[in-house]
């Protein structure tokens, strides 16, 4: 660690992504991160590198290349077959200290949230957790602010146009504010990124075939690993896949007068579209739905083709989790509800009367009537 000078910024280059895999399968959010890293790297004129740890995982490198990685560093060792904090943190820090990336992105999964802080502490650098937006280019950052903040126009002039630091934006104060954090004095700049907030790019076969794979030696012993995984047991629990759904129908406080019927109507409507059921924080906090259904800053961020909000007022925390959906339909009795500000189509009315009519119309259309 003594030889690793993380304050000499000129020594660091490249955008890296920790490519999380579990039992030989890349996690979906990794491809979102690689796609975003490609955009950042293009703005900076540097390479995108994936860092892949595991046992016999080299075959995944081609897919990482297809989504934007120029190079994939592979650390292959039986000791890395199953995730342990000690083993992964040591290997990652060893590689980072040798190769010196400027930016290191990690998915904010259970593993990423455990691993990111450990690595940042060992590398003596900062970590911005649970990010929802990333920028390097100042003009792109200003465009993001104009669309997503209430800053006065005059304040944009004071932003340093030469600032090439990674601007890491995340919810703060319980989701009531969005904070942008920079790490100007130390490298690498590290961030964990919430799954589902970034869009995966298109698969490119030419890039897949062109990716450079470099196997790195792994220096790890039993003494480095303080815990041992004896068994991996998967819980047989059915969870809703909000981030992968093309249609999401969500309910909010507006179903309170008849919760059972409200949820049943939402499920029925979702079924007509082949979609899934979501909910606002109010619906989850009230115990009407389990936490895996929550959409919003403190839940899942979704961008389906169709998002239907039933009885949801549209608090900023909820809008941040669904406003990038391709088409948003809102049903609410209050014609001044903030949800209508982001909706493509708004229906002011009682959802208990409106939704049955929607279901009936959909079924009629399917029947060709």
């Amino acid at each position: 660690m003594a030889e690793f000078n993380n304050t000499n910024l000129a020594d660091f280059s490249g955008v890296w992504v920790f490519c999380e895999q579990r039992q030989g399968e890349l996690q979906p959010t990794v491809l979102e991160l690689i796609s975003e890293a490609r955009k950042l790297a293009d703005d900076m004129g540097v390479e995108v590198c994936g860092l892949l740890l595991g046992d016999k995982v080299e075959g995944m490198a081609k897919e990482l290349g297809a989504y934007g990685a120029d190079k994939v560093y592979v650390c292959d060792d039986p000791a890395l077959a199953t995730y342990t904090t000690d083993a992964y943190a040591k290997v990652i820090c060893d590689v980072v200290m040798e190769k010196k990336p400027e930016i290191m992105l990690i998915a904010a999964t259970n593993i990423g949230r455990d691993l990111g802080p450990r690595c940042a502490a060992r590398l003596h650098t900062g970590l911005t957790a649970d990010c929802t937006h990333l920028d390097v280019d100042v003009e792109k950052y200003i465009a993001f602010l104009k669309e997503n903040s209430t800053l006065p126009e005059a304040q944009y002039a004071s932003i340093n146009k030469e600032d090439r630091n990674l601007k890491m934006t995340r919810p703060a104060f319980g989701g009531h504010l969005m904070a942008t954090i920079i790490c100007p004095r130390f490298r690498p700049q590290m961030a964990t990124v919430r799954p589902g907030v970034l869009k995966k790019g298109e698969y490119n076969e030419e890039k897949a075939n062109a990716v450079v794979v470099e196997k790195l030696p792994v220096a790890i012993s039993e003494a480095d690993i303080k815990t041992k995984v004896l068994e991996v047991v998967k819980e047989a629990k059915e969870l809703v896949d909000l981030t992968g759904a093309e249609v999401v129908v969500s309910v909010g406080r507006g179903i309170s007068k008849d919760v059972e019927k409200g949820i049943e109507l939402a499920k029925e409507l979702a079924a007509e579209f082949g979609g899934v059921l979501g909910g606002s924080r109010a619906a989850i906090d009230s115990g009407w739905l389990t936490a895996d259904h929550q959409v919003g800053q403190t839940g899942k961020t979704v961008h389906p083709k169709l998002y239907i909000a039933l009885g949801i007022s549209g608090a900023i925390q909820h809008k941040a989790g669904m406003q990038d959906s391709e088409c948003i339909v809102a049903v609410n009795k209050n014609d001044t509800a903030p949800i209508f500000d982001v909706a493509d189509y708004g229906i002011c009315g009682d959802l208990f009367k409106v939704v049955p009519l929607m279901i009936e119309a959909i079924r009629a259309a399917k029947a060709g009537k």
Side-chain angles (χ1 to χ4, degrees):
M1 183 66 76
E3 299 175 4
F4 178 63
N5 180 4
N6 67 347
T7 59
N8 190 357
L9 308 191
D11 289 345
F12 293 78
S13 178
V15 181
W16 282 29
V17 174
F18 166 64
C19 301
E20 181 184 335
Q21 58 82 25
R22 299 188 191 183
Q23 297 179 315
E25 289 187 13
L26 281 174
Q27 295 303 289
T29 190
V30 168
L31 302 180
E32 299 170 1
L33 287 184
I34 289 287
S35 300
E36 184 68 15
R38 179 73 270 160
K39 296 176 188 175
L40 297 173
D42 288 344
D43 287 338
M44 300 166 68
V46 297
E47 279 189 331
V48 174
C49 296
L51 181 56
L52 185 59
L53 277 63
D55 184 26
K56 300 180 178 64
V57 294
E58 188 176 343
M60 302 177 195
K62 184 175 179 179
E63 187 174 9
L64 296 170
Y67 288 95
D70 298 299
K71 181 182 289 185
V72 177
Y73 291 114
V74 178
C75 298
D76 214 308
D77 192 278
L80 303 174
T82 303
Y83 173 78
T84 60
T85 309
D86 296 320
Y88 273 55
K90 182 183 187 304
V91 171
I92 289 173
C93 290
D94 286 349
V95 174
V96 167
M97 286 189 281
E98 179 189 348
K99 301 293 184 181
K100 296 184 173 64
E102 186 171 359
I103 292 171
M104 180 76 175
L105 304 180
I106 301 173
T109 59
N110 291 337
I111 285 177
R113 286 172 172 166
D114 174 62
L115 184 63
R118 184 69 63 97
C119 292
R122 290 189 182 190
L123 296 168
H124 295 287
T125 189
L127 171 76
T128 304
D130 216 24
C131 294
T132 56
H133 186 83
L134 302 169
D135 269 313
V136 171
D137 183 89
V138 177
E139 293 304 325
K140 290 181 180 178
Y141 175 59
I142 290 174
F144 165 74
L145 289 178
K146 287 182 177 179
E147 188 175 338
N148 295 279
S149 77
T150 56
L151 288 175
E153 187 72 26
Q155 200 156 339
Y156 298 126
S158 65
I159 297 176
N160 179 9
K161 302 297 190 294
E162 303 302 316
D163 180 10
R164 303 302 291 175
N165 290 299
L166 179 65
K167 296 142 196 74
M168 300 168 277
T169 303
R170 55 149 295 154
F173 294 99
H176 294 283
L177 293 176
M178 298 299 285
T180 297
I181 298 167
I182 61 172
C183 182
R185 294 188 297 138
F186 302 99
R187 294 294 183 267
Q189 302 165 93
M190 292 185 64
T192 61
V193 182
R194 184 179 297 183
V197 300
L198 305 174
K199 292 188 178 180
K200 183 175 71 172
E202 295 292 326
Y203 185 95
N204 187 312
E205 185 68 32
E206 187 178 342
K207 290 182 179 179
N209 295 326
V211 66
V212 176
V213 181
E214 183 177 337
K215 293 190 74 171
L216 300 177
V218 176
I220 193 165
S221 65
E222 286 190 15
D224 296 317
I225 305 174
K226 298 178 179 64
T227 59
K228 185 176 181 181
V229 178
L230 300 178
E231 185 182 8
V232 176
V233 179
K234 289 188 175 181
E235 184 180 5
K237 183 179 179 183
E238 187 177 348
L239 298 176
V240 62
D241 180 17
L242 286 173
T243 55
E246 293 194 347
V247 177
V248 178
V249 179
S250 290
V251 295
R253 192 175 280 110
I255 66 169
S256 60
K257 73 176 184 180
D258 191 340
V259 173
E260 252 182 67
K261 185 178 178 183
I263 291 175
E264 191 54 43
L265 283 172
K267 284 182 176 177
E268 203 174 334
L269 182 59
E272 291 298 326
F273 288 110
V276 299
L277 177 67
S280 67
R281 181 170 181 173
I284 277 67
D285 287 350
S286 299
W288 302 338
L289 295 171
T290 55
D292 55 307
H293 289 83
Q294 186 176 340
V295 175
Q297 283 180 347
T298 50
K300 300 280 190 358
T301 300
V302 300
H303 32 76
K305 291 182 178 178
L306 175 62
Y307 187 87
I308 302 176
L310 305 177
I312 295 174
S313 62
I316 188 171
Q317 297 95 325
H318 186 78
K319 289 195 292 186
M322 45 66 74
Q323 63 188 0
D324 289 331
S325 304
E326 290 184 25
C327 181
I328 299 171
V329 177
V331 180
N332 201 292
K333 287 197 296 186
N334 179 6
D335 62 358
T336 62
I339 193 69
F340 290 127
D341 295 338
V342 295
D344 297 287
Y345 301 95
I347 303 172
C348 184
D350 185 343
L351 71 90
F352 291 96
K353 296 178 181 178
V354 172
V355 175
L357 295 175
M358 293 173 71
I359 294 170
E360 186 182 328
I362 294 165
R363 287 175 178 167
K366 285 181 178 179
K369 295 179 182 178

